[in-house]
Amino acid sequence: MKNKSKYTAAAAQLGPIDPGDTKESVVARMLDLLIEAKTKETALVVFPELCLTTFFPRYYITDPANLDTYYESEVPISLMSDMFELVRKEQIIISFGYAEKDNGIPFNTSVYVDSSGNIIGKYRKIHLPGHYEYEPERPFQHLEKRYFTKGNLGFPTFDTTLGRLGMCICNDRRWPETYRVLALQGCEVVTLGYNTPKHYPLAPEHDHLQEFHNHLCMQAAAYANGMWVIASAKAGLEDDCELIGGSCIISPRGEIVAEAKTTMDELVVAQVDLNECKLIRENIFNFNLHRQPEEYKLLTKIKL
Ligand code: CDT
């Protein structure tokens, strides 16, 4: 397949997924979005974090058998066979997130599947937010630290027909280091999914800023690193917990070029031009000319 520097990309936002919804029903919704993407000649489609189920870290689950139902021991190829077939036929690259159990070790993972129908990239979430123990005072839990292990794959990049791609997952997007490590490897497009509650029990005074903070961190990072950012939300009222939407595509200029209008299943589409990365990287953020890493040593000190 020929390399493309200009192509159509999409954030495939998903609306709420109820705890009782089957994975098959979710995959059917994802397939509908992929079919819509095909009609729009989209080459890259990004689905949300943990997109096969409801955002289960909001629940304190004590029955191991019940908890286990949320994880996959392998990429669920047979469950997603119709999607993989379409990806092959239409030469699309997709990314999606799922809860992975690798030899018993749980990770919050996302992958790329390319037009060969193969998994060509994997990332395991590094910045795991929330808490380990049940906290009864919270209206809902955020038990990612309990249910997942910190990712052990670093922040890898992947050379594809659609440029050098890299992934991060939800809370990772708030950390500037995530993008800088990817950009230093020449990443041109960062893809990510998120589940972000509108209400943050520890700082409710920020609730009205959730959408703003979502875009603020990604727009700043796109600009400061000269990269495209494609961000896909799981959105809407999920079992009484409101998740923000705002799925978007951000150019290396830091501009939002397409944004979700709803908090339902919605395809957010824009033209990506990889040449735009150069405008930033050859000028204001020319890493080789202007970075001063010897002055940044504090950044990698383990303990302050
Ligand atoms: N999924 C995820 O990482 N969500 C967090 C919620 C806030 S921290 C409790 C986020 O950064 O959006």
Side-chain angles (χ1 to χ4, degrees):
M1 254 270 286
K2 245 180 81 193
N3 287 1
K4 288 186 190 165
S5 61
K6 291 184 190 176
Y7 54 87
T8 307
Q13 175 174 287
L14 287 171
I17 298 173
D18 281 333
D21 289 351
T22 62
K23 290 176 186 168
E24 287 76 9
S25 71
V26 178
V27 171
R29 286 163 56 185
M30 292 169 72
L31 181 62
D32 283 345
L33 287 167
L34 198 56
I35 291 167
E36 184 184 341
K38 177 198 116 171
T39 64
K40 295 181 173 157
E41 297 184 358
T42 309
L44 175 61
V45 181
V46 180
F47 291 96
E49 172 192 34
L50 299 175
C51 69
L52 300 177
T53 66
T54 200
F55 188 69
F56 68 94
R58 93 167 63 85
Y59 305 108
Y60 179 53
I61 303 168
T62 50
D63 172 11
N66 181 15
L67 185 58
D68 228 31
T69 62
Y70 288 100
Y71 295 91
E72 314 297 325
S73 53
E74 283 167 15
V75 177
I77 296 176
S78 57
L79 178 71
M80 302 177 81
S81 58
D82 290 346
M83 286 183 65
F84 279 38
E85 188 50 42
L86 198 60
V87 160
R88 250 194 305 268
K89 210 165 129 226
E90 301 298 329
Q91 311 273 292
I92 300 171
I93 295 181
I94 62 167
S95 162
F96 62 91
Y98 66 101
E100 177 189 18
K101 221 170 229 181
D102 180 23
N103 285 318
I105 304 174
F107 296 103
N108 185 339
T109 296
S110 65
V111 288
Y112 289 126
V113 180
D114 81 352
S115 53
S116 66
N118 295 318
I119 288 96
I120 54 146
K122 181 180 273 192
Y123 168 71
R124 290 170 172 160
K125 187 173 181 178
I126 286 180
H127 299 98
L128 293 169
H131 48 109
Y132 292 95
E133 301 298 339
Y134 178 60
E135 295 185 3
E137 64 282 7
R138 290 178 183 249
F140 52 86
Q141 306 295 299
H142 198 111
L143 288 162
E144 282 197 65
K145 287 203 190 290
R146 184 181 187 89
Y147 296 151
F148 299 113
T149 306
K150 189 188 86 160
N152 58 359
L153 301 175
F155 290 103
T157 59
F158 304 94
D159 281 325
T160 74
T161 50
L162 304 178
R164 192 165 292 179
L165 310 185
M167 290 175 264
C168 68
I169 301 178
C170 196
N171 192 260
D172 287 323
R173 78 192 186 289
R174 301 186 191 274
W175 298 85
E177 294 87 349
T178 298
Y179 306 88
R180 184 50 58 95
V181 172
L182 288 168
L184 287 171
Q185 301 170 77
C187 180
E188 296 164 293
V189 183
V190 180
T191 63
L192 68 99
Y194 59 94
N195 284 264
T196 297
K198 171 88 177 157
H199 174 54
Y200 182 50
L202 302 187
E205 42 285 278
H206 288 180
D207 286 0
H208 71 289
L209 298 173
Q210 287 292 2
E211 286 85 354
F212 168 63
H213 287 161
N214 176 37
H215 288 158
L216 177 71
C217 55
M218 296 191 291
Q219 289 184 259
Y223 167 61
N225 294 286
M227 298 190 294
W228 288 87
V229 176
I230 303 175
S232 184
K234 176 126 70 55
L237 196 63
E238 205 175 73
D239 198 20
D240 272 350
C241 180
E242 188 184 346
L243 300 173
I244 66 165
S247 300
C248 58
I249 299 181
I250 303 170
S251 80
R253 298 180 305 272
E255 284 178 309
I256 294 178
V257 293
E259 183 180 345
K261 295 180 181 59
T262 72
T263 51
M264 305 303 288
D265 293 3
E266 182 181 341
L267 200 72
V268 179
V269 176
Q271 289 301 308
V272 162
D273 181 353
L274 299 182
N275 297 310
E276 287 191 37
C277 302
K278 288 194 204 119
L279 276 180
I280 300 287
R281 288 194 184 166
E282 289 174 0
N283 289 292
I284 183 135
F285 292 116
N286 185 320
F287 289 169
N288 286 333
L289 282 184
H290 306 306
R291 270 184 88 243
Q292 303 294 349
E294 65 282 0
E295 305 298 332
Y296 311 151
K297 291 195 185 101
L298 212 50
L299 286 180
T300 52
K301 226 169 142 197
I302 304 286
K303 278 221 179 320
L304 292 183

Coordinates of all heavy atoms in Angstrom, one line a residue, residues 49 55 108 125 127 129-130 138 142 144 169-174 194-197 200, ligand 1:
E49 N -11.3 4.7 24.7 CA -10.7 3.9 25.7 C -11.7 2.8 26.2 O -12.9 3.1 26.3 CB -10.3 4.8 26.9 CG -9.9 4.1 28.1 CD -9.8 5.0 29.3 OE1 -10.6 6.0 29.5 OE2 -8.9 4.8 30.2
F55 N -17.7 1.8 31.5 CA -16.5 2.2 32.1 C -16.5 1.5 33.5 O -16.8 2.2 34.5 CB -16.3 3.7 32.2 CG -14.9 4.1 32.7 CD1 -13.8 3.9 31.9 CD2 -14.8 4.7 33.9 CE1 -12.5 4.2 32.4 CE2 -13.5 5.0 34.4 CZ -12.4 4.8 33.7
N108 N -4.8 -1.5 30.8 CA -5.7 -0.7 30.1 C -5.0 -0.4 28.7 O -4.0 0.4 28.7 CB -6.0 0.6 30.8 CG -7.0 1.5 30.2 OD1 -7.3 1.3 29.0 ND2 -7.7 2.4 30.9
K125 N -1.7 1.8 29.0 CA -1.8 3.1 29.7 C -0.8 3.2 30.8 O -0.7 2.3 31.7 CB -3.2 3.2 30.2 CG -3.6 4.6 30.8 CD -5.1 4.6 31.1 CE -5.5 5.9 31.7 NZ -7.0 5.9 31.9
H127 N -0.3 6.5 32.7 CA -0.8 7.3 33.8 C -2.2 6.8 34.2 O -3.2 7.1 33.6 CB -0.9 8.8 33.4 CG 0.4 9.4 33.0 ND1 0.8 9.5 31.7 CD2 1.4 9.9 33.7 CE1 2.0 10.1 31.6 NE2 2.4 10.3 32.9
P129 N -5.2 7.0 36.6 CA -5.7 7.8 37.6 C -6.6 7.1 38.7 O -6.8 5.8 38.5 CB -6.6 8.8 36.8 CG -7.1 7.9 35.7 CD -6.0 6.9 35.4
G130 N -7.0 7.8 39.6 CA -8.0 7.2 40.6 C -7.3 6.6 41.8 O -6.3 7.1 42.3
R138 N -17.4 8.6 47.8 CA -17.6 9.0 46.4 C -18.9 8.6 45.9 O -19.4 7.5 46.1 CB -16.5 8.4 45.6 CG -15.1 8.9 45.8 CD -14.1 8.1 44.9 NE -12.7 8.5 45.1 CZ -12.0 9.2 44.3 NH1 -12.5 9.5 43.1 NH2 -10.8 9.5 44.5
H142 N -13.4 5.4 41.1 CA -12.5 5.5 39.9 C -11.3 4.5 40.2 O -10.2 5.0 40.5 CB -12.0 6.9 39.6 CG -11.5 7.0 38.2 ND1 -12.2 7.7 37.2 CD2 -10.5 6.4 37.6 CE1 -11.5 7.5 36.0 NE2 -10.4 6.8 36.3
E144 N -9.2 2.6 38.6 CA -8.2 2.2 37.6 C -6.9 1.7 38.3 O -6.3 0.7 37.8 CB -7.8 3.3 36.7 CG -8.9 3.5 35.6 CD -8.4 4.4 34.5 OE1 -7.5 3.9 33.8 OE2 -8.9 5.5 34.3
I169 N -3.7 7.1 26.3 CA -5.0 6.7 26.7 C -5.5 7.7 27.8 O -4.8 7.8 28.9 CB -5.1 5.3 27.2 CG1 -4.7 4.3 26.1 CG2 -6.5 4.9 27.7 CD1 -4.7 2.8 26.5
C170 N -6.6 8.3 27.6 CA -7.3 9.2 28.5 C -6.4 10.0 29.4 O -5.9 11.0 29.0 CB -8.3 8.3 29.4 SG -9.5 9.4 30.2
N171 N -6.2 9.6 30.7 CA -5.5 10.5 31.6 C -4.1 10.9 31.1 O -3.6 12.0 31.4 CB -5.4 9.9 33.0 CG -4.9 10.9 34.1 OD1 -3.8 10.9 34.4 ND2 -5.8 11.7 34.5
D172 N -3.5 10.0 30.3 CA -2.2 10.3 29.7 C -2.2 11.6 28.9 O -1.2 12.3 28.8 CB -1.8 9.2 28.6 CG -1.4 7.9 29.2 OD1 -0.7 7.8 30.2 OD2 -1.8 6.9 28.5
R173 N -3.4 12.0 28.4 CA -3.5 13.2 27.5 C -3.3 14.5 28.3 O -3.0 15.5 27.7 CB -4.8 13.2 26.8 CG -6.0 13.7 27.6 CD -7.3 13.4 26.8 NE -8.5 14.0 27.4 CZ -9.1 13.5 28.5 NH1 -8.6 12.6 29.2 NH2 -10.3 14.0 28.8
R174 N -3.4 14.4 29.6 CA -3.3 15.6 30.4 C -1.8 15.9 30.8 O -1.5 16.9 31.3 CB -4.0 15.4 31.7 CG -5.5 15.2 31.5 CD -6.3 15.1 32.8 NE -7.6 14.6 32.7 CZ -8.7 15.4 32.3 NH1 -8.5 16.7 32.1 NH2 -9.9 14.8 32.2
Y194 N -10.9 8.3 25.5 CA -11.1 8.7 26.9 C -12.5 8.4 27.4 O -13.4 8.3 26.6 CB -10.7 10.2 27.1 CG -11.4 11.2 26.3 CD1 -12.5 11.9 26.8 CD2 -11.0 11.6 25.0 CE1 -13.2 12.9 26.1 CE2 -11.6 12.6 24.3 CZ -12.7 13.3 24.9 OH -13.4 14.3 24.1
N195 N -12.5 8.3 28.7 CA -13.8 8.2 29.5 C -13.6 9.2 30.6 O -12.9 8.9 31.6 CB -14.0 6.8 30.2 CG -14.4 5.7 29.2 OD1 -15.6 5.4 29.1 ND2 -13.4 5.1 28.6
T196 N -14.2 10.4 30.5 CA -14.0 11.4 31.5 C -15.3 11.9 32.1 O -16.1 12.5 31.5 CB -13.3 12.6 30.8 OG1 -12.0 12.2 30.4 CG2 -13.1 13.8 31.8
P197 N -15.5 11.5 33.4 CA -16.7 12.0 34.1 C -16.8 13.5 34.2 O -15.7 14.2 34.3 CB -16.6 11.4 35.5 CG -15.6 10.2 35.4 CD -14.7 10.7 34.3
Y200 N -16.0 15.6 39.1 CA -14.8 15.0 39.7 C -14.9 15.2 41.2 O -14.8 16.3 41.7 CB -13.5 15.7 39.2 CG -12.2 15.2 39.8 CD1 -11.9 13.9 39.8 CD2 -11.3 16.1 40.3 CE1 -10.8 13.4 40.3 CE2 -10.1 15.6 40.8 CZ -9.9 14.3 40.8 OH -8.7 13.8 41.4
Ligands
CDT1 N1 -10.3 7.3 32.2 C1 -9.6 8.3 32.7 O1 -8.3 8.3 32.7 N2 -10.3 9.3 33.2 C2 -9.7 10.4 33.9 C3 -10.7 10.9 34.9 C4 -10.2 11.9 35.8 S1 -9.2 11.2 37.1 C5 -10.3 10.5 38.2 C6 -9.3 11.6 33.0 O2 -8.2 12.0 33.1 O3 -10.1 12.0 32.1

